[in-house]
Amino acid sequence: MFRTKRSGLVRRLWRSRAPVEGDGEADRGTHGSGGCCMGKTTKVAKSNAGSEAELKALTHSILKKIKEKQLEVLLQAVESKGGVRSPCLLLPSKVDAKVGQQSYSLPMLLYKVFRWPDLRHSSELKRLSCCESYGKINPELVCCNPHHMSRLCELETPPPPYSRYPMDYLKPPDSPDSGPSSSDTGGTTYSAPVGLSDSLALQESGDRAHWCVVAYWEEKTRVGRLYSVQEPSLDIFYDLPQGNGFCLGQLCSDNKSQLVQMVRAKIGYGIQLTREPDGVWVYNRSCYPIFIKSATLDNPDSRTLLVHKVFPGFSIKAFDYDKAGSLQRPNDHEFTQQPRTGFTVQISFVKGWGQCYTRQFISSCPCWLEVIFNTR
């Protein structure tokens, strides 16, 4: 019996579905044990044989109604795990599918099958800005590409206030070329003067104004030059099949630490940094958690800022311009001592730091980023 190309694509897609717990292939980075400052996730148990067969039959029947070229787009996105830029998969948004007693919209079903088996509601999702359906309300055709979506990171409740200002932002740098020191409080502003001078030089040379600059660090050493960002979205990665952006793998590093080399190899697809109307979002594209600290993620009156754990496939609003503006008090001595670029966000790959970890300062992390925002 001859097999059609369509049926072959459908079979490959079903084999590439997201594993559920009990398959032995569950994404080790997606779920984890409890701990502070982390996005909350739920584990999903392996479905019984009856519902598995029902889901398979339903998924096959839906996929067989999709155009062959659209199946190829979906397969490309699923097999590359988002590593290849794939176009939108526009399908009717109001078609519902039923699995057992549960009814799902067509997009939700595809997201559950191919990305997040534990997904419960569309409110848990955030559409990425690269998607044609981004910002549109109730369109008749909606993008069902599961790698044009991310899950929202649910934050822990911040601690009670202990002081007027976050201590991380009160220590001015000693000199323009100052680097991290183990005696520092773990502050986030020590390399901001370097970023400021470099980025101002870029503007004076006639380049478009940047909205942020990015520095890559390995422990206490900055690797490579600052990366000035003008485009609204930036991919920061170590190894990506397709895509442009800040490639950390191309930077020359003399660090021989085995831990640094191990973490560097795990950065993979890295993160996507996007400036959107409500702030700056970070999307974790890698297979391992990332860790973020930002003044606008927490109570500005707390003594120290929390370090938030962001699992693979999750997004977090790492910087809020409105909140940052409320933190800047021109009459306060501490804030007038800061560079005009103002605020930074710290992001570490794989290894966390802070009160929940053995590493107290980000300068002890093997691989990390400093994102310096231009708030003018």
Side-chain angles (χ1 to χ4, degrees):
M1 180 178 179
F2 293 103
R3 294 179 176 176
T4 64
K5 182 179 179 180
R6 174 185 294 275
S7 62
L9 291 171
V10 170
R11 280 194 302 276
R12 284 177 62 186
L13 278 165
W14 179 252
R15 287 197 300 267
S16 301
R17 71 192 185 279
V20 296
E21 188 179 338
D23 281 341
E25 303 176 21
D27 186 350
R28 61 178 176 269
T30 302
H31 304 293
S33 59
C36 64
C37 319
M38 58 179 267
K40 297 176 182 176
T41 59
T42 56
K43 292 188 177 182
V44 57
K46 183 175 175 62
S47 50
N48 59 49
S51 60
E52 176 78 2
E54 185 181 6
L55 179 63
K56 180 177 180 179
L58 177 61
T59 304
H60 275 64
S61 67
I62 289 173
L63 294 177
K64 287 177 181 178
K65 297 175 184 177
I66 298 176
K67 295 178 181 178
E68 198 171 281
K69 287 186 177 180
Q70 291 178 315
L71 288 176
E72 291 175 345
V73 166
L74 180 58
L75 183 64
Q76 182 187 48
V78 169
E79 288 189 338
S80 71
K81 299 185 185 300
V84 173
R85 289 294 181 113
S86 52
C88 289
L89 178 64
L90 297 175
L91 297 173
S93 60
K94 297 181 180 179
V95 175
D96 289 336
K98 199 166 186 180
V99 181
Q101 300 299 316
Q102 190 70 39
S103 182
Y104 300 103
S105 67
L106 180 55
M108 278 288 290
L109 179 67
L110 294 182
Y111 301 152
K112 283 179 65 68
V113 170
F114 294 110
R115 274 219 79 185
W116 301 291
D118 63 331
L119 186 63
R120 293 162 296 181
H121 195 272
S122 59
S123 61
E124 300 174 37
L125 297 173
K126 179 187 183 300
R127 194 169 294 280
L128 300 176
S129 60
C130 63
C131 182
E132 287 183 27
S133 299
Y134 176 76
K136 295 182 179 178
I137 301 175
N138 301 323
E140 290 188 8
L141 294 178
V142 67
C143 176
C144 298
N145 187 329
H147 287 278
H148 284 191
M149 302 295 292
S150 65
R151 289 184 77 169
L152 284 168
C153 186
E154 183 179 349
L155 301 181
E156 292 285 344
T157 303
Y162 292 103
S163 66
R164 292 180 62 217
Y165 302 124
M167 296 300 291
D168 295 45
Y169 285 85
L170 301 187
K171 181 178 173 62
D174 296 329
S175 67
D177 293 322
S178 62
S181 168
S182 58
S183 62
D184 285 346
T185 61
T188 60
T189 54
Y190 38 68
S191 73
V194 181
L196 179 61
S197 60
D198 286 4
S199 57
L200 284 178
L202 286 171
Q203 288 190 41
E204 290 169 1
S205 66
D207 287 353
R208 287 180 298 166
H210 67 282
W211 60 270
C212 76
V213 291
V214 180
Y216 170 61
W217 297 77
E218 291 177 355
E219 296 174 329
K220 294 181 176 66
T221 304
R222 197 182 82 188
V223 180
R225 292 183 60 81
L226 289 165
Y227 192 100
S228 181
V229 185
Q230 291 89 31
E231 299 298 327
S233 182
L234 172 69
D235 291 334
I236 304 173
F237 55 91
Y238 197 86
D239 181 28
L240 190 66
Q242 290 183 13
N244 298 315
F246 189 9
C247 180
L248 306 180
Q250 293 181 348
L251 302 179
C252 295
S253 171
D254 297 327
N255 198 311
K256 305 299 182 183
S257 164
Q258 289 187 347
L259 181 60
V260 169
Q261 293 180 21
M262 180 194 73
V263 171
R264 195 189 300 151
K266 291 181 177 180
I267 294 173
Y269 298 173
I271 65 171
Q272 187 175 88
L273 190 70
T274 308
R275 185 182 186 184
E276 301 186 26
D278 62 340
V280 177
W281 287 80
V282 174
Y283 167 47
N284 184 4
R285 305 180 69 190
S286 74
C287 295
Y288 296 87
I290 60 172
F291 300 83
I292 295 182
K293 184 165 77 170
S294 167
T296 65
L297 276 174
D298 297 313
N299 187 334
D301 294 326
S302 63
R303 179 179 292 273
T304 57
L305 301 179
L306 294 178
V307 177
H308 297 273
K309 186 175 185 179
V310 182
F311 287 105
F314 280 71
S315 285
I316 188 171
K317 185 162 71 169
F319 190 73
D320 187 307
Y321 285 98
D322 291 337
K323 287 184 180 180
S326 67
L327 290 175
Q328 293 177 337
R329 299 171 174 86
N331 296 325
D332 286 334
H333 172 73
E334 295 93 342
F335 280 88
T336 58
Q337 298 303 308
Q338 301 303 314
R340 283 183 294 168
T341 47
F343 293 92
T344 69
V345 166
Q346 294 175 327
I347 304 170
S348 69
F349 295 101
V350 185
K351 301 295 183 180
W353 82 99
Q355 60 184 359
C356 301
Y357 302 91
T358 56
R359 297 170 181 84
Q360 292 303 299
F361 309 118
I362 194 169
S363 56
S364 300
C365 291
C367 302
W368 56 282
L369 300 169
E370 187 175 34
V371 184
I372 308 158
F373 294 99
N374 182 357
T375 57
R376 288 178 297 167

